[in-house]
Amino acid sequence: MGLKALDYESLNENVKKVQYAVRGELYLRASELQKEGKKIIFTNVGNPHALGQKPLSFPRQVVALCQAPFLLDDPNVGMLFPADAIAKAKHYLTMTSGGLGAYSDSRGIPGVRKEVAEFIERRDGYPSDPELIFLTDGASKGVMQILNCIIRGEGDGVLVPVPQYPLYSATISLFGGSLVPYYLEEGANWGLDVNDLHQSVAQARSKGITVRAMVIINPGNPTGQCLSEANLREILRFCFQENLVLLGDEVYQQNIYQDERPFISARKVLMDMGPPLSNEVQLVSFHTVSKGYWGECGQRGGYFEMTNIPPRTVDEIYKISSISLSPNVPAQIFMGLMVNPPKPGDISYDQFVRESKGILESLRRRARIMTDGFNSCRNVVCNFTEGAMYSFPQIRLPRKAIEAAKKAGKVPDVFYCLKLLEATGISTVPGSGFGQKEGVFHLRTTILPAEEDMPAIMASFKKFNDEFMEQYEDYRSYSRM
Amino acid sequence: MRRLVIGRTRDLLNRSHQNYRHSQHSLFLSSSRFLSSAPVIDSPSSSSSPPMSPPVTLNSINPKVVKCEYAVRGEIVTLAQKLQEEIQAKPGSQPFEEILYCNIGNPQSLGQQPITFFREVLALCDHPAILDKSETQGLFSADAIERAWQILDQIPGRATGAYSHSQGIKGLRDTIAAGIEARDGFPSNPDDIFLTDGASPAVHMMMQLLIRSEKDGILCPIPQYPLYSASIALHGGTLVPYYLDEATGWGLEISELKKQLGTARSKGIAVRALVVINPGNPTGQVLAEENQREIVEFCKDEGLVLLADEVYQENVYVPEKKFHSFKKVSRSMGYGEKDIHLVSFQSVSKGYYGECGKRGGYMEVTGFGADVREQMYKVASVNLCSNISGQILASLVMSPPKVGDESYESYCAERDGILLSLSRRAKMLEDAFNNLEGVTCNKAEGAMYLFPRIHLPEKAIRAAEEVKTAPDAFYCRRLLNATGIVVVPGSGFGQVPGTWHFRCTILPQEDKIPAVIDRLTDFHKSFMDEYRD
């Protein structure tokens, strides 16, 4: 018999092309070492609870009550759950069409979508339509759904920042489209230059690619930069001129560690700019319960909001959502709770604020500790983590190290990261997983390890790095930016 | 101490959604101010030509998206929702009091209660902080508490809010593998299991792997659950239909499989897989073991991947049939990993647990090389992992309470109550349909649906054509408008051309069934009076 249906050779080529380094080679090697008994510090993925961050109490109380509604009838329930959690559980159960176990509307529970719309309105100062908000099993599924609509074939290009979170490159590969890179400027704090955008688009078009969409990640992943309002205006104007739909990945909007550039949503800026842009630029904005100070990655809860998307297209997107029937209901409740947290006067308010503040302030401190720690290392330069959850230091690898990597059959930053892993147990993601300028190397780590562990981790890194540099350094040359 | 959902809580769940107003404060939502040290300068516009038509319009989105259809939540459901809104706004405006959704296998939306033990464990895993408290002993059964501890110990850091391994938490996969082994009598490898947000994403993953272009074909039963047709369209492949035989209780004939395979191949289609839904959806038949052996042999001989949708494995209502997994059948034929590619799908949405909203499920993948498995893992990893609560539930479904456990008896009572009731409702509705003029209905041996055939009079067919509607959709719309009952036209599932069906679930609560039957019967009679030839 010839090739069988699921032999490697006969797999969908697009699948084979996909790369997703966040759980790629380094992670797999780290998992192997962990099985062998080595202590591993996983900093490869933005997964706060895995590194000791505690879930917020209030949402867990509410969802537990929704899981087991019989508790609500028990006279003793008040001994374990505060009254406002009990009230909230009833509030959300009423919104469902039969509790947590029933498929909801394919776009998500209408009442929750309304709460999301109200949150967006409070945040931005402009009304938002719940009918244009779709809840999804995590923001990633939403991104994939929208890209699936946009990409018709390899002739369709999507502008993606480099470095980027590799969900975008992986999804574009999977759907057979073309990734059109635009480079963020490391020397300018990972800033975005509109001229570079124009150049990227022109280059793509000269290859016969129809550029259809532009992705921005704000705050950035892995780069952490927070876009200024001016930058957002430039981007929106660019999308207007070039006829691109803007995909605004804003999942880290609650993770801001400096005060000069607070988060502003792309939608707000778009509305501020007024007509014709505010009526014409197509925008899809993404958010999640996985990041911020919630960190509820395992729930798989997210949403996307559509702006200026024609009704018939919205219908098609709805149709695709309906094939998956509905997003998971517990996560929808998490989403409702996130956009509608306890208010002053609520029984749980003080504890909620204490827990939230604790997490955010610690993240801010850790962002600083890590940046400074990396900058104190030989041949390492690190931009400050303005937002999100990552640090993305540049490692200036000496020529000898690059040669050694080649000999070992490894990309230079993979080589470095593997050695780092073996020496220290710190599991990172090599910069090549995110894209970077030719000849420039980075790694991505999260700022999530517990604050008390940070000094030891940074010391361990510094020891490894400085010894590595000494081993491979040749006073006459090192890799240059 | 366990409680069944009672009283106020049930009212809560039955109440339709209300608007809930909140006051406008929140601490951590930044107000809409922005500080920009740089002046806001408008960049000079590059070209002055007005934008072309915006990028994401109907004629410029991915045509595969436009092409695919999913009738279960299609046109008729949209109509039903509008009617529901009208009833809410103006009670008494319709000839019926409520919309009854019989279009979708969504048991808990129609009053089916969840299994208490499962919900106890899930609640404790959601909020482990209470496990240490003494009050918890008074509110939860001891074995639920113990099971929650066990599960949490399998989760690194007991962090149910963390992304897990992309195939799902290892300990839970161990439990599921053990459950599969207990069910089948053949070993199961936890590394063959991929936990997913429901069975549907797993089906999509397989279609993605298998379909390279429209030259790749997937054999699908007609009638079929339209996830398959939609997924194949979305991935740009070709659906190769094989017809189930209504006259023999929706029998699956190997001769039909061979014929369709041959026809497809002669058209240059590389047929890659065979989808079998057992028990069937919408048709409800449970395959005989002999039939299953023929199917396995067929796939092995033709090099096809067997995609076994077994989500209704716990829904069997006839004593003369039993569910046998395709894995068990293959292994008992002596066929192992080298002989047959097999993917088995299971879900937490059906059975007696009916936990649709949780989005839990898995596929067990056997007979693939390591290189292909790597690709599957890679695709799974892009989405990081499936929701943890759904993973936990999948493990509970595959290892429910056992004899001797504190919850065992009440668990059995709940389970059997639901299954026996489903069985009765299947029979009641089957008989009712068979009593309608010009309607024949095969028995629902399993699953959750009836798929009656309506022999529509010529007059009705012409009336449908006049309003440019498929005759079965015409009938279903009239049924909805007259009775509020929502069913899905047979064309949504595929049927032999010139025959008309609709799919109706058996899920309305038992006490509602007589009223449903009455309304249906009255409607049908007046419909036939109107259109009888």
Side-chain angles (χ1 to χ4, degrees):
Chain A
M1 215 200 335
L3 272 184
K4 288 201 282 199
L6 225 56
D7 286 344
Y8 183 80
E9 293 72 23
S10 56
L11 282 184
N12 181 355
E13 285 301 315
N14 288 342
V15 167
K16 290 192 249 184
K17 282 194 202 131
V18 168
Q19 301 286 319
Y20 186 69
V22 173
R23 281 209 161 161
E25 185 181 351
L26 250 299
Y27 172 71
L28 293 170
R29 180 69 187 130
S31 305
E32 264 168 35
L33 289 171
Q34 184 179 50
K35 274 197 201 129
E36 289 166 25
K38 190 176 172 70
K39 176 159 171 20
I40 303 292
I41 303 150
F42 285 98
T43 73
N44 58 305
V45 66
N47 198 10
H49 294 198
L51 288 156
Q53 180 175 312
K54 297 263 161 287
L56 299 168
S57 309
F58 186 73
R60 291 307 189 95
Q61 290 166 335
V62 175
V63 176
L65 286 167
C66 291
Q67 287 280 16
F70 53 81
L71 293 172
L72 294 168
D73 292 324
D74 192 303
N76 292 324
V77 66
M79 288 162 59
L80 277 179
F81 296 91
D84 54 354
I86 293 170
K88 258 305 159 80
K90 292 179 181 173
H91 161 78
Y92 284 112
L93 282 172
T94 310
M95 281 187 189
T96 65
S97 21
L100 299 192
Y103 294 126
S104 71
D105 184 308
S106 299
R107 298 162 292 186
I109 296 167
V112 173
R113 285 153 56 219
K114 184 158 182 297
E115 291 183 345
V116 172
E118 287 164 359
F119 154 74
I120 292 171
E121 181 166 354
R122 286 192 300 273
R123 183 193 66 192
D124 295 347
Y126 293 99
S128 171
D129 183 357
E131 297 297 290
L132 297 174
I133 294 168
F134 284 27
L135 306 182
T136 51
D137 284 315
S140 297
K141 286 245 169 92
V143 168
M144 295 183 89
Q145 201 173 324
I146 298 297
L147 282 174
N148 191 216
C149 285
I150 293 171
I151 297 171
R152 295 163 301 183
E154 68 189 354
D156 285 336
V158 180
L159 272 163
V160 175
V162 177
Q164 48 98 47
Y165 174 53
L167 165 69
Y168 295 96
S169 46
T171 304
I172 292 167
S173 275
L174 214 46
F175 295 144
S178 292
L179 190 152
V180 180
Y182 67 92
Y183 289 86
L184 301 175
E185 205 41 59
E186 186 161 14
N189 209 31
W190 297 116
L192 187 159
D193 182 356
V194 172
N195 293 319
D196 189 65
L197 284 179
H198 282 291
Q199 219 174 339
S200 299
V201 170
Q203 223 169 359
R205 285 178 179 157
S206 71
K207 294 192 209 143
I209 293 178
T210 307
V211 184
R212 312 253 280 152
M214 176 174 176
V215 174
I216 56 169
I217 309 174
N218 181 37
N221 176 4
T223 46
Q225 86 287 16
C226 297
L227 292 173
S228 68
E229 199 206 339
N231 238 177
L232 282 165
R233 283 184 169 242
E234 286 181 309
I235 291 164
L236 286 160
R237 189 157 290 285
F238 176 77
C239 288
F240 176 68
Q241 288 157 357
E242 301 297 339
N243 196 20
L244 308 175
V245 54
L246 182 61
L247 305 180
D249 178 338
E250 299 177 332
V251 301
Y252 295 102
Q253 56 187 270
Q254 292 166 332
N255 300 102
I256 310 291
Y257 311 127
Q258 40 70 39
D259 302 316
E260 291 77 37
R261 269 175 306 287
F263 173 74
I264 315 167
S265 78
R267 189 162 187 276
K268 175 177 181 3
V269 177
L270 178 60
M271 293 301 128
D272 283 346
M273 291 172 88
L277 274 80
S278 56
N279 296 336
E280 306 228 5
V281 175
Q282 296 187 325
L283 168 65
V284 185
S285 314
F286 300 90
H287 198 10
T288 181
V289 303
S290 299
K291 310 301 178 190
Y293 52 95
W294 282 59
E296 290 280 9
C297 303
Q299 308 300 339
R300 314 318 277 112
Y303 74 75
F304 60 85
E305 181 198 20
M306 296 175 280
T307 303
N308 295 328
I309 308 290
R312 290 183 74 194
T313 305
V314 174
D315 284 345
E316 292 297 318
I317 295 170
Y318 182 5
K319 181 180 74 177
I320 300 300
S321 297
S322 72
I323 301 171
S324 303
L325 289 151
S326 91
N328 89 74
V329 177
Q332 296 187 44
I333 294 175
F334 272 96
M335 181 58 79
L337 290 165
M338 188 179 86
V339 299
N340 229 343
K343 301 178 301 299
D346 290 351
I347 296 167
S348 302
Y349 178 72
D350 287 343
Q351 178 187 50
F352 184 82
V353 168
R354 203 172 47 243
E355 290 174 351
S356 313
K357 257 189 149 166
I359 290 166
L360 279 176
E361 286 171 1
S362 172
L363 282 168
R364 193 179 260 241
R365 287 191 296 269
R366 284 179 274 171
R368 184 44 74 189
I369 293 171
M370 265 208 152
T371 307
D372 292 347
F374 282 128
N375 278 316
S376 77
C377 297
R378 196 144 147 196
N379 292 337
V380 178
V381 172
C382 190
N383 281 337
F384 176 61
T385 297
E386 298 187 344
M389 285 180 176
Y390 311 97
S391 190
F392 197 61
Q394 185 190 146
I395 316 288
R396 294 172 164 176
L397 291 170
R399 190 174 43 85
K400 272 167 76 181
I402 297 177
E403 280 163 13
K406 219 178 261 181
K407 263 206 205 102
K410 298 277 175 208
V411 171
D413 49 18
V414 173
F415 178 76
Y416 177 92
C417 291
L418 281 169
K419 290 229 174 277
L420 170 66
L421 171 64
E422 310 265 350
T424 66
I426 300 171
S427 171
T428 58
V429 188
S432 43
F434 304 88
Q436 52 206 351
K437 285 205 169 120
E438 183 78 38
V440 184
F441 305 105
H442 305 80
L443 58 82
R444 188 188 81 165
T445 171
T446 65
I447 61 170
L448 300 174
E451 209 172 330
E452 60 262 25
D453 295 337
M454 278 272 175
I457 292 172
M458 295 316 290
S460 174
F461 176 85
K462 185 171 166 62
K463 180 169 185 291
F464 160 79
N465 176 77
D466 292 358
E467 282 171 8
F468 179 97
M469 292 304 167
E470 213 183 298
Q471 180 187 356
Y472 289 101
E473 203 153 33
D474 179 332
Y475 277 82
R476 276 160 296 153
S477 69
Y478 42 81
S479 80
R480 299 160 62 87
M481 229 176 85
Chain B
M1 216 191 312
R2 296 165 316 282
R3 299 287 166 83
L4 300 173
V5 177
I6 53 173
R8 292 180 322 226
T9 319
R10 189 181 282 174
D11 290 341
L12 235 147
L13 297 173
N14 285 340
R15 242 183 282 159
S16 56
H17 45 260
Q18 315 160 334
N19 286 328
Y20 198 106
R21 315 272 228 89
H22 284 277
S23 57
Q24 302 296 295
H25 270 343
S26 185
L27 176 74
F28 282 96
L29 303 170
S30 42
S31 51
S32 54
R33 73 193 198 293
F34 46 89
L35 304 168
S36 179
S37 49
V40 175
I41 301 168
D42 282 359
S43 14
S45 47
S46 51
S47 85
S48 54
S49 56
M52 306 160 288
S53 58
V56 194
T57 58
L58 193 61
N59 37 20
S60 65
I61 60 172
N62 182 352
K64 296 179 211 152
V65 166
V66 179
K67 190 172 160 218
C68 82
E69 304 274 318
Y70 186 71
V72 174
R73 276 198 159 168
E75 206 186 299
I76 212 147
V77 179
T78 313
L79 186 53
Q81 282 163 344
K82 285 206 185 77
L83 288 173
Q84 182 157 47
E85 281 160 29
E86 269 169 53
I87 295 177
Q88 274 171 338
K90 277 186 284 169
S93 60
Q94 302 295 327
F96 48 84
E97 276 173 12
E98 56 168 355
I99 298 285
L100 204 49
Y101 288 98
C102 297
N103 59 306
I104 181 174
N106 195 10
Q108 293 189 28
S109 75
L110 290 166
Q112 181 173 307
Q113 300 306 315
I115 298 296
T116 307
F117 177 78
F118 294 164
R119 292 302 190 91
E120 286 183 289
V121 175
L122 288 172
L124 290 165
C125 290
D126 271 336
H127 190 38
I130 59 175
L131 277 168
D132 285 327
K133 307 244 168 94
S134 56
E135 295 92 335
T136 304
Q137 323 278 348
L139 285 168
F140 292 83
S141 57
D143 53 347
I145 293 171
E146 197 189 317
R147 181 73 78 102
W149 274 123
Q150 226 178 71
I151 288 170
L152 288 166
D153 283 342
Q154 293 172 326
I155 300 176
R158 302 213 181 112
T160 53
Y163 293 126
S164 72
H165 185 287
S166 295
Q167 282 177 241
I169 293 159
K170 177 65 169 46
L172 298 179
R173 286 184 279 128
D174 290 340
T175 304
I176 292 171
I180 293 171
E181 183 166 346
R183 181 194 68 195
D184 293 346
F186 292 95
S188 169
N189 184 345
D191 291 335
D192 289 344
I193 293 168
F194 286 72
L195 283 155
T196 48
D197 288 305
S200 300
V203 170
H204 283 303
M205 203 191 296
M206 290 313 302
M207 294 306 176
Q208 184 147 67
L209 280 160
L210 286 167
I211 296 172
R212 296 161 297 185
S213 74
E214 75 256 10
K215 291 219 184 64
D216 284 326
I218 311 284
L219 272 160
C220 286
I222 301 295
Q224 48 97 50
Y225 173 51
L227 163 69
Y228 294 96
S229 45
S231 188
I232 292 165
L234 218 46
H235 292 101
T238 296
L239 191 153
V240 178
Y242 67 90
Y243 288 86
L244 301 175
D245 187 3
E246 186 159 14
T248 60
W250 299 113
L252 194 163
E253 299 299 322
I254 299 298
S255 54
E256 168 68 3
L257 286 180
K258 289 186 173 155
K259 178 173 132 214
Q260 298 295 350
L261 177 64
T263 307
R265 282 177 174 165
S266 70
K267 292 192 210 148
I269 300 208
V271 181
R272 312 262 282 151
L274 169 68
V275 173
V276 180
I277 310 174
N278 182 42
N281 177 3
T283 46
Q285 85 286 22
V286 177
L287 295 172
E289 213 177 337
E290 179 50 41
N291 212 184
Q292 290 182 275
R293 284 195 283 267
E294 293 176 309
I295 292 165
V296 168
E297 207 67 71
F298 173 74
C299 288
K300 178 175 178 295
D301 292 342
E302 302 293 345
L304 304 176
V305 178
L306 177 51
L307 300 174
D309 178 337
E310 298 178 330
V311 303
Y312 295 101
Q313 56 188 264
E314 307 256 19
N315 300 101
V316 178
Y317 309 128
V318 294
E320 66 269 16
K321 290 278 181 69
K322 255 193 81 192
F323 169 77
H324 304 284
S325 78
F326 269 101
K327 175 130 173 290
K328 175 172 120 179
V329 171
S330 315
R331 296 292 179 268
S332 40
M333 291 166 81
Y335 293 143
E337 301 266 338
K338 291 193 177 54
D339 302 301
I340 179 162
H341 294 309
L342 171 61
V343 184
S344 317
F345 302 97
Q346 165 63 318
S347 168
V348 305
S349 301
K350 312 299 175 189
Y352 54 88
Y353 19 91
E355 295 276 21
C356 303
K358 299 298 178 60
R359 314 317 278 116
Y362 68 80
M363 60 178 180
E364 184 192 17
V365 170
T366 55
F368 299 99
D371 46 7
V372 173
R373 296 282 299 280
E374 237 176 74
Q375 297 298 314
M376 288 182 185
Y377 170 82
K378 186 178 70 176
V379 171
S381 75
V382 177
N383 196 48
L384 285 150
C385 71
S386 64
N387 84 78
I388 307 300
S389 187
Q391 292 187 32
I392 293 172
L393 184 51
S395 78
L396 291 171
V397 159
M398 296 307 287
S399 70
K402 298 179 313 298
V403 178
D405 292 350
E406 180 185 322
S407 302
Y408 180 67
E409 277 174 22
S410 58
Y411 156 79
C412 285
E414 289 177 358
R415 176 195 65 194
D416 296 342
I418 289 168
L419 287 174
L420 288 168
S421 173
L422 283 168
S423 186
R424 288 192 297 267
R425 284 178 269 168
K427 189 80 182 64
M428 278 159 70
L429 284 166
E430 178 205 332
D431 289 345
F433 285 129
N434 275 311
N435 281 333
L436 299 177
E437 181 190 342
V439 178
T440 49
C441 188
N442 279 334
K443 183 181 233 20
E445 296 184 332
M448 287 179 177
Y449 314 97
L450 287 164
F451 200 62
R453 178 171 169 193
I454 23 171
H455 300 260
L456 288 167
E458 267 309 306
K459 248 175 104 180
I461 296 177
R462 279 197 305 272
E465 274 162 22
E466 246 156 67
V467 288
K468 294 200 177 48
T469 303
D472 50 10
F474 179 76
Y475 179 91
C476 294
R477 212 183 286 175
R478 292 286 297 268
L479 171 66
L480 170 62
N481 283 323
T483 66
I485 298 171
V486 191
V487 298
V488 189
S491 37
F493 303 88
Q495 53 206 345
V496 170
T499 66
W500 313 109
H501 302 76
F502 61 84
R503 188 188 79 167
C504 180
T505 70
I506 61 173
L507 298 174
Q509 284 303 289
E510 215 167 331
D511 55 8
K512 281 209 153 88
I513 298 279
V516 169
I517 291 176
D518 285 342
R519 279 196 264 162
L520 245 158
T521 306
D522 288 342
F523 160 77
H524 187 81
K525 183 169 182 310
S526 62
F527 183 90
M528 292 305 276
D529 285 342
E530 189 180 341
Y531 291 107
R532 200 174 286 113
D533 291 320

